[in-house]
Amino acid sequence: MALTPAQQTVFDVLSDAEGPLSAAEVLAELKNHAKTPGIATVYRALNAGLDSGTYVAVTLPGDDTTRYEPADRGHHHHFACTQCERVIDVAGCPGRLSPLVPDGFTLTGHDLTLFGLCDVCA
Amino acid sequence: MALTPAQQTVFDVLSDAEGPLSAAEVLAELKNHAKTPGIATVYRALNAGLDSGTYVAVTLPGDDTTRYEPADRGHHHHFACTQCERVIDVAGCPGRLSPLVPDGFTLTGHDLTLFGLCDVCA
DNA sequence: GTCGTTGCAAAGCGTTTGCAGCCTA
DNA sequence: TAGGCTGCAAACGCTTTGCAACGAC
């Protein structure tokens, strides 16, 4: 599946990011590039990536905007800085979640977000 | 801080729920009551509760609507049924999260959502 | 009568979609 | 010329706000 120029640009930005970006952040990042696409084009590129399985959507607590990141990063979680609002990936996983699940429930997945101060803000 | 009638009704619904409810769910629940307030009144009651610290807002991954629950439930997490979309509280906490935090970052909180099938859907 | 609460409708904000213009082949 | 990509603007759903009417004291 060949990428359109706009899709390629968006893909580059997401690949270079150290965590999931919102559509607005992608657009802001693209402002640094030679050519800035319209917001509609950004959303179309992001949704095309979701459809093709290239990206996954990420929603963080307390943040009502959808974020996107490449789907090939494997299982990981996120750290959200409460000061600068930057979101970065963190490797690893607490594991041992089955004991938390009530009787009769089936656990198929989980999502963990850490909050605190990033290295810049700390 | 005396509650208005509408605030009291919303408070009753949230207190009886076994997990966080969205504004739409609160409104749907209120339809079973004698008097159904307008959606604006529901939002006003919810936000008044947030301001006074009576409620906390909860956002779940993959769900772009804000949910609300009483603030006095202590530290707990949530289980979201991927089939019926019901969300219920789960007690307990994996703990041991500090090892996941990158060097130079300060951990102040976390949020965990479990996904799977509830006892009804399993 | 005064003040706060409520309901309706309009406004906001993020996201999606329709449509026409553009570029490439 | 035909096709798809793009940008603009309108549409859309959830949430908030303005304003006037209502009810309690």
Side-chain angles (χ1 to χ4, degrees), chain B residues 23 39-40 43-44 47 65-66 68:
Chain B
I39 185 66
Y43 276 109
R44 272 188 279 237
N47 285 325
T65 66
T66 305
Y68 305 81

Side-chain angles (χ1 to χ4, degrees), chain B residues 2-111:
Chain B
L3 295 181
T4 69
Q7 287 174 348
Q8 182 65 52
T9 327
V10 169
F11 179 79
D12 290 344
V13 168
L14 282 184
S15 297
D16 289 347
E18 55 187 352
L21 298 183
S22 66
E25 286 168 343
V26 170
L27 189 62
E29 191 63 34
L30 289 176
K31 291 232 168 77
N32 302 331
H33 289 57
K35 187 172 182 311
T36 305
I39 185 66
T41 302
V42 171
Y43 276 109
R44 272 188 279 237
L46 292 171
N47 285 325
L50 288 183
D51 285 347
S52 69
T54 310
Y55 307 139
V56 291
V58 176
T59 314
L60 298 178
D63 180 10
D64 50 1
T65 66
T66 305
R67 291 167 178 274
Y68 305 81
E69 71 180 345
D72 59 5
R73 299 206 169 159
H75 186 72
H76 66 277
H77 296 294
H78 299 107
F79 186 103
C81 178
T82 50
Q83 189 157 322
C84 69
E85 311 214 316
R86 209 157 50 101
V87 178
I88 66 156
D89 291 354
V90 299
C93 182
R96 260 171 265 215
L97 296 175
S98 335
L100 304 181
V101 182
D103 282 348
F105 287 59
T106 308
L107 182 66
T108 59
H110 66 275
D111 216 285

Side-chain angles (χ1 to χ4, degrees), chain A:
Chain A
M1 56 156 212
L3 295 181
T4 68
Q7 286 173 349
Q8 182 64 52
T9 327
V10 169
F11 179 79
D12 290 344
V13 168
L14 282 185
S15 296
D16 289 346
E18 55 187 353
L21 298 183
S22 66
E25 286 168 344
V26 171
L27 188 65
E29 191 63 33
L30 289 176
K31 291 232 168 77
N32 302 330
H33 289 58
K35 187 173 183 307
T36 304
I39 185 67
T41 301
V42 172
Y43 276 110
R44 273 188 279 240
L46 292 171
N47 285 326
L50 289 184
D51 286 347
S52 69
T54 310
Y55 307 140
V56 291
V58 175
T59 315
L60 297 178
D63 180 9
D64 52 359
T65 66
T66 305
R67 291 167 178 274
Y68 305 81
E69 71 180 344
D72 60 5
R73 300 207 168 160
H75 185 73
H76 65 276
H77 296 294
H78 299 108
F79 186 103
C81 178
T82 50
Q83 188 157 322
C84 68
E85 312 214 316
R86 209 156 50 103
V87 178
I88 66 156
D89 291 353
V90 299
C93 181
R96 263 171 259 214
L97 297 176
S98 334
L100 304 182
V101 181
D103 282 348
F105 286 59
T106 308
L107 182 66
T108 59
H110 67 275
D111 217 284
L112 176 67
T113 305
L114 305 177
F115 295 99
L117 296 177
C118 71
D119 51 352
V120 176
C121 297

